Amino acid sequence: MSQAGGGRGCGSSVPPRAPWSLVAATAALCLVSATSVWTAGAAPMSREEKQKLGNQVLEMFDHAYGNYMEHAYPADELMPLTCRGRVRGQEPSRGDVDDALGKFSLTLIDSLDTLVVLNKTKEFEEAVRKVLRDVNLDNDVVVSVFETNIRVLGGLLGGHSLAIMLKEKGEYMQWYNDELLQMAKQLGYKLLPAFNTTSGLPYPRINLKFGIRKPEARTGTETDTCTACAGTLILEFAALSRFTGATIFEEYARKALDFLWEKRQRSSNLVGVTINIHTGDWVRKDSGVGAGIDSYYEYLLKAYVLLGDDSFLERFNTHYDAIMRYISQPPLLLDVHIHKPMLNARTWMDALLAFFPGLQVLKGDIRPAIETHEMLYQVIKKHNFLPEAFTTDFRVHWAQHPLRPEFAESTYFLYKATGDPYYLEVGKTLIENLNKYARVPCGFAAMKDVRTGSHEDRMDSFFLAEMFKYLYLLFADKEDIIFDIEDYIFTTEAHLLPLWLSTTNQSISKKNTTSEYTELDDSNFDWTCPNTQILFPNDPLYAQSIREPLKNVVDKSCPRGIIRVREESFRSGTKPPLRARDFMATNPEHLEILKKMGVSLIHLKDGRVQLVQHAIQAASSIDAEDGLRFMQEMIELSSQQQKEQQLPPRAVQIVSHPFFGRVVLTAGPAQFGLDLSKHKETRGFVASSKPYNGCSELTNPEAVMGKIALIQRGQCMFAEKARNIQNAGAIGGIVIDDNEGSSSDTAPLFQMAGDGKDTDDIKIPMLFLFSKEGSIILDAIREYEEVEVLLSDKAKDRAAILKGKMIPSYIINSNPETENEEQPSSENDSQNQSAEQMTPGSQEVELVDQESPEDSVLSSHPESLSPADTDSAANASPSEQNPNPTENHEPTSPDGECTDLDDNQLQEQSETEEEPPPSVGWGKKAQPIDSILADWNEDIEAFEMMEKDEL
């Protein structure tokens, strides 16, 4: 979802902690055993090294911002692989992801205050002039209210805040007369019609020109919104009211927050993910701190800091107590059901919860912040980036990474709170990974799959608004910043609002409405800000002592079944409830326990066993809850067993001129032939086999001898194709799907199975590409004839690929400060989120055979489980997860928005000749080729060729 930032560490003292008893005993033993071996913390980083890293952040920002301004402006975002702007309506729709785009030069507005933080005051002044001259807020475009608020309204207000600061200093912006504030006010009025609901919760979308008026608006018919969408307005709207004196904005934002608070689940004090904006009914009743809810919690605490209203802190503390009671399972944060908070709602975590350690720092609860942050860092070290979603045993659930800044944000706040140089080393790792794996000639590209290193043609505006801001502040000393950052609070998009707004235009009633809903125990509330000097009493290694037990939490050396064990499950005088891992269908005692829990066992004709639960048939409510837990565990166990038989995706990397390893295609593995995860990668030129289907002896063995053969899928078994090309002398094979238009973007990756015979005779590696990915190679052959590829378990560092080759020096130069040095190749092992509501009642699970009914293709996603009764189905199996997050029922938003969620490239340094600024025009598809360094010409053509695949 959104990003959590923060200005000053303000909140309550550390509350009583729940016992750390939620990790399986085996994992606990591994962690406890590590406590005795922690050593001294990281060595202090010198001033010179910090300055060097800060300068590197500045250069990276220049690379991203400069390419946006040169190749994309005035479009909303840069497409870094094809070096052009993304214009709404001119590119293929990405669903709700595009709701952030409003034809208002989004990236420029989102970057305004970043320019000032990075001391680029001249560029800031030029950027403000461009915004005032070129940006139109009256476009006939439907946009997300949430995204437009945090990115555009927040960007304008952040720009205004620093513009008046610079004007007061007397050197820059002397001409400025609140023009950005007037634009912000205009936008605020455009967003107000979204609040035209009986509840006061805003519609999720609005037309910038027509509001929600039908039919012109083409919106205003939605019934649901996410909690964060409705609860992440108060900072920007209140700031707009305080800046302008127009109280209506703050009033509407407060009304929405009041309604959400009233609709919380009273027994658990948790809120759900999605709510009906007209009735206030919870549509999705799972609760966590990630996508769909995150910034709601953040804005409650920060509203207290910025506005000084005690009711916001009371609400935050109430929610926080519930989070730590039910959701926090250190170091994990797992979603639960708001009505039954002792039940986990899912078995995976989304990347957006990475903001939470930073928010805990602001709260003053440091220990769990350190624990969760360290767990996330271990995941990053394993995959180079934080996957969009990962399981409780730290496997990739969704493999995308759109360059999200939440982890960098929490790293910054933890460093400010602890002063531990360890977090500077963490920041250094983030910089290195961005440059090594995400940097491309025209900016930084999002990761399409962290396991293979493939890219996506997107560079979201929040990357410039937040990532570079937090990284620069991490390494900057106070004298490196031209203003006092402590005088401002960060919004969820890291925009800066001055704290003096708390005493300006206080015309809104600050009635404490919290007490109208519940009686609160004030004993846990401290109405003062925590002092970091007393958070770590005389112990400089405090943070290190917390982190060290988690160093191996992601490592495969310790088994790690994460199971919530209720204390009340072990009721006095009774046996613990039956666990799924212990169940035997032939054990009469187990069958009797199932019956007591309302679970029926059905033997199907095909030999499978089906389990169905009817909660109303259980002996008691406690037995029904045990039955629900048993069914959930069985779903997890069944899915896990299937996953263990699956192979991870592989990578096909084009390494010849002009690609030089920048094009990485996600490939499906084979259950036979050379295992690329255990053997050295296979490298060679490609050649098409004849016959193309490879189902008979090849007629062109001389063409494929010593090469990687291209074969079309169909007409015979995969193993037969492999034997035919192997007999012709091929060193590897790539099977290309014959289903035209198929793509790993829209279809689940699958692995090729054998033919039911012994396949030990197949010694060459075999990989599968969908049609769109395969067409990249076929088009490259038509264009360049000689095409060399690398078949591997994951994409390789281009410095290693190109070692010893005659290539242009700029390909391997990665840093202006380290010219002629090659980047070391990565040794990290590389490793999709639909949150279905889980309701107690009727559900089923089938215990299926582990072999696929087809022997030629094995799907890498287990079969979905269908409900057997309509009382209430529990559909929480990971097997039901949508393999393509952008097609989820709640698609990915670039910043998480009100929806649920969605490596290897060497950084490059190229200098661009100065040219006149491009003329402003929306019809422009790309900048002239000669605006890019001549050496890149052929590369750009190659990127354009791969455009359809990357989209």
Side-chain angles (χ1 to χ4, degrees):
M1 242 298 313
S2 54
Q3 285 72 44
R8 301 193 295 188
C10 204
S12 72
S13 57
V14 181
R17 298 284 295 116
W20 192 91
S21 59
L22 304 174
V23 179
T26 52
L29 289 173
C30 292
L31 297 178
V32 171
S33 65
T35 59
S36 61
V37 298
W38 65 271
T39 57
M45 185 176 288
S46 68
R47 167 71 173 164
E48 292 73 19
E49 186 174 1
K50 289 177 63 177
Q51 285 182 328
K52 181 178 179 181
L53 290 167
N55 290 335
Q56 193 170 359
V57 174
L58 294 175
E59 185 279 327
M60 293 166 65
F61 175 83
D62 289 341
H63 180 66
Y65 180 77
N67 274 286
Y68 165 74
M69 294 304 297
E70 180 179 358
H71 300 299
Y73 182 78
D76 284 313
E77 290 179 346
L78 169 69
M79 298 168 65
L81 298 181
T82 48
C83 300
R84 68 166 189 255
R86 184 181 296 279
V87 180
R88 189 89 173 262
Q90 291 187 12
E91 304 296 336
S93 174
R94 301 176 297 171
D96 289 356
V97 173
D98 285 338
D99 285 345
L101 312 180
K103 296 185 177 180
F104 35 36
S105 300
L106 175 62
T107 299
L108 180 62
I109 293 177
D110 223 0
S111 304
L112 287 177
D113 51 8
T114 304
L115 290 166
V116 182
V117 173
L118 273 56
N119 299 333
K120 297 181 179 294
T121 49
K122 290 184 178 180
E123 292 89 339
F124 171 73
E125 191 157 6
E126 295 170 0
V128 172
R129 292 186 185 275
K130 282 185 170 68
V131 169
L132 300 180
R133 182 189 69 207
D134 301 334
V135 172
N136 179 20
L137 298 175
D138 199 39
N139 301 309
D140 182 10
V141 180
V142 176
V143 297
S144 161
V145 172
F146 167 81
E147 297 287 1
T148 304
N149 172 64
I150 66 170
R151 300 207 210 183
V152 186
L153 183 58
L156 293 171
L157 292 172
H160 170 70
S161 299
L162 297 190
I164 58 178
M165 178 273 297
L166 289 173
K167 185 176 182 179
E168 290 176 358
K169 285 181 174 290
E171 183 177 356
Y172 295 98
M173 304 299 294
Q174 295 306 298
W175 55 271
Y176 182 71
N177 194 28
D178 295 349
E179 289 87 352
L180 290 177
L181 180 60
Q182 296 309 311
M183 288 186 68
K185 187 176 181 180
Q186 176 191 358
L187 180 59
Y189 279 117
K190 286 183 172 294
L191 296 178
L192 283 183
F195 293 84
N196 189 21
T197 61
T198 55
S199 66
L201 299 178
Y203 283 96
R205 299 172 186 84
I206 197 166
N207 188 298
L208 289 174
K209 187 177 184 68
F210 299 109
I212 58 172
R213 187 173 74 242
K214 307 176 191 64
E216 300 96 327
R218 306 184 304 282
T219 190
T221 59
E222 301 91 345
T223 59
D224 306 331
T225 193
C226 72
T227 299
C229 301
T232 311
L233 299 159
I234 186 64
L235 292 187
E236 293 83 1
F237 272 48
L240 184 58
S241 287
R242 302 294 176 97
F243 272 130
T244 65
T247 62
I248 187 171
F249 304 108
E250 185 172 343
E251 289 170 353
Y252 274 106
R254 280 178 175 266
K255 183 179 179 182
L257 274 180
D258 290 345
F259 190 84
L260 287 173
W261 170 254
E262 185 177 2
K263 290 299 179 179
R264 77 195 185 284
Q265 212 291 320
R266 300 304 176 89
S267 61
S268 68
N269 282 320
L270 295 173
V271 292
V273 173
T274 310
I275 191 171
N276 186 297
I277 60 177
H278 303 296
T279 67
D281 295 331
W282 290 111
V283 179
R284 278 187 47 197
K285 301 176 183 179
D286 46 318
S287 183
V289 298
I293 304 179
D294 52 357
S295 51
Y296 162 69
Y297 295 132
E298 174 190 1
Y299 269 36
L300 284 178
L301 180 56
K302 292 183 178 179
Y304 164 67
V305 177
L306 184 64
L307 307 178
D309 189 335
D310 290 352
S311 67
F312 291 129
L313 182 59
E314 290 185 39
R315 297 179 192 183
F316 173 79
N317 280 331
T318 301
H319 285 313
Y320 188 78
D321 179 71
I323 291 169
M324 301 310 290
R325 186 187 305 271
Y326 303 119
I327 296 171
S328 178
Q329 304 179 29
L332 309 182
L333 292 163
L334 293 179
D335 286 18
V336 299
H337 301 280
I338 60 175
H339 295 91
K340 290 186 177 294
M342 299 305 293
L343 291 178
N344 290 335
R346 58 173 67 155
T347 60
W348 42 267
M349 295 166 280
D350 63 70
L352 290 159
L353 60 77
F355 90 100
F356 198 67
L359 188 63
Q360 289 180 305
V361 170
L362 302 187
K363 160 74 176 173
D365 201 358
I366 301 295
R367 172 178 285 273
I370 294 172
E371 292 172 335
T372 299
H373 179 275
E374 182 61 25
M375 177 271 294
L376 295 170
Y377 185 44
Q378 297 302 319
V379 175
I380 289 173
K381 290 203 292 187
K382 187 177 186 66
H383 303 300
N384 299 318
F385 298 98
L386 196 62
E388 278 292 75
F390 53 94
T391 63
T392 53
D393 56 353
F394 310 109
R395 300 188 185 192
V396 172
H397 186 64
W398 278 13
Q400 298 85 352
H401 173 74
L403 306 181
R404 295 196 185 277
E406 289 84 1
F407 182 78
E409 170 190 353
S410 289
T411 302
Y412 164 67
F413 286 115
L414 272 169
Y415 177 65
K416 290 302 179 183
T418 66
D420 191 336
Y422 175 83
Y423 296 108
L424 297 177
E425 296 297 330
V426 173
K428 182 179 179 180
T429 299
L430 298 182
I431 292 174
E432 292 173 347
N433 288 351
L434 285 170
N435 277 321
K436 183 180 286 188
Y437 305 121
R439 186 165 180 147
V440 294
C442 288
F444 292 84
M447 306 308 298
K448 188 176 184 178
D449 192 318
V450 299
R451 298 165 297 185
T452 64
S454 56
H455 287 122
E456 189 175 356
D457 202 2
R458 63 186 284 191
M459 188 180 77
D460 294 82
S461 68
F462 55 71
F463 182 59
L464 284 84
E466 301 183 67
M467 181 68 82
F468 297 114
K469 192 175 293 174
Y470 287 125
L471 287 178
Y472 182 77
L473 290 173
L474 177 64
F475 297 105
D477 290 330
K478 191 169 185 179
E479 56 269 24
D480 296 328
I481 308 171
I482 62 175
F483 63 98
D484 190 351
I485 201 74
E486 298 297 324
D487 291 337
Y488 296 82
I489 191 170
F490 289 91
T491 70
T492 196
E493 191 78 0
H495 294 307
L496 298 170
L497 299 177
L499 292 175
W500 54 257
L501 288 176
S502 61
T503 58
T504 303
N505 291 327
Q506 298 186 59
S507 55
I508 305 296
S509 172
K510 292 200 298 183
K511 178 183 178 182
N512 188 334
T513 57
T514 304
S515 59
E516 297 177 9
Y517 306 122
T518 184
E519 293 185 6
L520 296 174
D521 179 9
D522 282 356
S523 63
N524 285 336
F525 299 162
D526 187 340
W527 303 99
T528 62
C529 299
N531 185 336
T532 56
Q533 293 180 353
I534 64 173
L535 289 176
F536 312 99
N538 300 319
D539 187 1
L541 299 181
Y542 176 80
Q544 172 71 11
S545 67
I546 298 173
R547 284 194 308 268
E548 194 63 34
L550 302 173
K551 288 295 185 183
N552 298 319
V553 70
V554 180
D555 196 292
K556 295 180 180 178
S557 60
C558 289
R560 238 179 295 316
I562 305 299
I563 301 174
R564 177 181 286 274
V565 182
R566 292 184 311 143
E567 185 176 343
E568 56 265 36
S569 292
F570 300 91
R571 298 177 294 277
S572 176
T574 64
K575 295 182 179 180
L578 179 64
R579 317 307 304 200
R581 63 178 179 268
D582 302 325
F583 171 69
M584 297 180 61
T586 57
N587 188 321
E589 183 180 354
H590 289 181
L591 296 179
E592 187 63 31
I593 295 175
L594 291 188
K595 183 178 179 180
K596 189 177 180 181
M597 296 189 299
V599 179
S600 303
L601 185 146
I602 304 171
H603 292 275
L604 303 179
K605 293 181 179 180
D606 58 6
R608 293 182 297 169
V609 174
Q610 184 181 63
L611 298 176
V612 181
Q613 188 208 23
H614 301 273
I616 58 175
Q617 295 179 7
S620 67
S621 60
I622 294 178
D623 289 312
E625 189 170 332
D626 287 342
L628 180 62
R629 181 181 298 102
F630 174 83
M631 294 295 289
Q632 181 181 357
E633 290 178 1
M634 187 60 74
I635 291 172
E636 295 177 23
L637 183 62
S638 178
S639 174
Q640 188 65 33
Q641 289 173 344
Q642 295 183 44
K643 284 183 178 181
E644 290 174 355
Q645 293 196 1
Q646 296 165 13
L647 298 172
R650 307 301 188 205
V652 175
Q653 192 169 10
I654 306 179
V655 298
S656 54
H657 173 85
F659 306 95
F660 297 119
R662 281 191 296 273
V663 177
V664 181
L665 307 175
T666 300
Q671 291 185 336
F672 53 86
L674 183 71
D675 187 348
L676 292 170
S677 67
K678 299 178 181 178
H679 299 81
K680 187 177 180 181
E681 66 274 359
T682 297
R683 178 172 180 161
F685 289 91
V686 296
S688 295
S689 62
K690 292 182 182 180
Y692 189 30
N693 59 32
C695 291
S696 61
E697 183 179 347
L698 267 58
T699 61
N700 64 333
E702 70 287 345
V704 301
M705 174 75 71
K707 297 182 180 180
I708 296 172
L710 301 180
I711 329 161
Q712 187 178 44
R713 179 187 181 186
Q715 301 185 34
C716 65
M717 308 297 285
F718 291 122
E720 183 179 349
K721 298 175 188 286
R723 292 188 179 98
N724 287 330
I725 64 171
Q726 179 176 273
N727 291 338
I731 61 173
I734 299 175
V735 179
I736 299 177
D737 195 6
D738 59 349
N739 181 15
E740 186 176 355
S742 64
S743 170
S744 62
D745 288 339
T746 56
L749 200 69
F750 61 80
Q751 49 190 309
M752 298 181 289
D755 53 4
K757 306 174 185 178
D758 186 359
T759 57
D760 289 345
D761 60 314
I762 302 176
K763 306 297 184 182
I764 62 174
M766 295 289 293
L767 296 182
F768 180 91
L769 290 179
F770 283 108
S771 174
K772 280 193 173 183
E773 283 79 4
S775 66
I776 300 296
I777 294 181
L778 297 175
D779 289 344
I781 293 175
R782 284 190 287 269
E783 182 75 17
Y784 303 104
E785 296 184 2
E786 295 286 316
V787 175
E788 188 180 17
V789 302
L790 188 72
L791 310 184
S792 60
D793 60 336
K794 65 174 184 176
K796 304 303 179 185
D797 188 321
R798 268 184 284 144
I801 291 172
L802 302 173
K803 191 172 184 179
K805 300 288 184 178
M806 293 298 294
I807 55 169
S809 61
Y810 62 81
I811 293 294
I812 58 174
N813 285 345
S814 63
N815 192 307
E817 298 183 9
T818 58
E819 292 188 12
N820 302 319
E821 293 183 9
E822 293 182 353
Q823 291 285 349
S825 55
S826 171
E827 295 297 333
N828 291 337
D829 290 331
S830 272
Q831 285 290 339
N832 264 322
Q833 138 189 68
S834 161
E836 297 290 347
Q837 177 181 340
M838 188 170 183
T839 311
S842 169
Q843 56 178 320
E844 72 169 27
V845 58
E846 293 179 358
L847 307 182
V848 300
D849 295 333
Q850 299 306 311
E851 295 183 0
S852 169
E854 299 179 11
D855 61 359
S856 60
V857 178
L858 283 180
S859 170
S860 67
H861 294 266
E863 295 179 10
S864 297
L865 301 167
S866 57
D869 193 281
T870 57
D871 291 349
S872 180
N875 301 322
S877 169
S879 64
E880 295 184 9
Q881 307 307 330
N882 190 338
N884 179 23
T886 59
E887 293 188 356
N888 197 342
H889 68 287
E890 293 193 25
T892 304
S893 160
D895 200 40
E897 201 209 342
C898 42
T899 59
D900 265 330
L901 303 179
D902 136 24
D903 310 338
N904 293 333
Q905 191 137 7
L906 188 66
Q907 62 176 1
E908 299 155 35
Q909 176 65 22
S910 63
E911 298 179 356
T912 306
E913 297 179 3
E914 294 185 2
E915 290 192 1
S919 58
V920 176
W922 293 108
K924 178 176 54 181
K925 293 287 286 186
Q927 299 294 334
I929 290 297
D930 59 7
S931 67
I932 304 172
L933 190 64
D935 289 330
W936 287 116
N937 285 347
E938 291 178 329
D939 297 341
I940 300 306
E941 293 173 3
F943 283 127
E944 290 174 346
M945 180 179 68
M946 62 182 278
E947 172 192 355
K948 290 184 179 180
D949 170 71
E950 290 298 328
L951 289 174

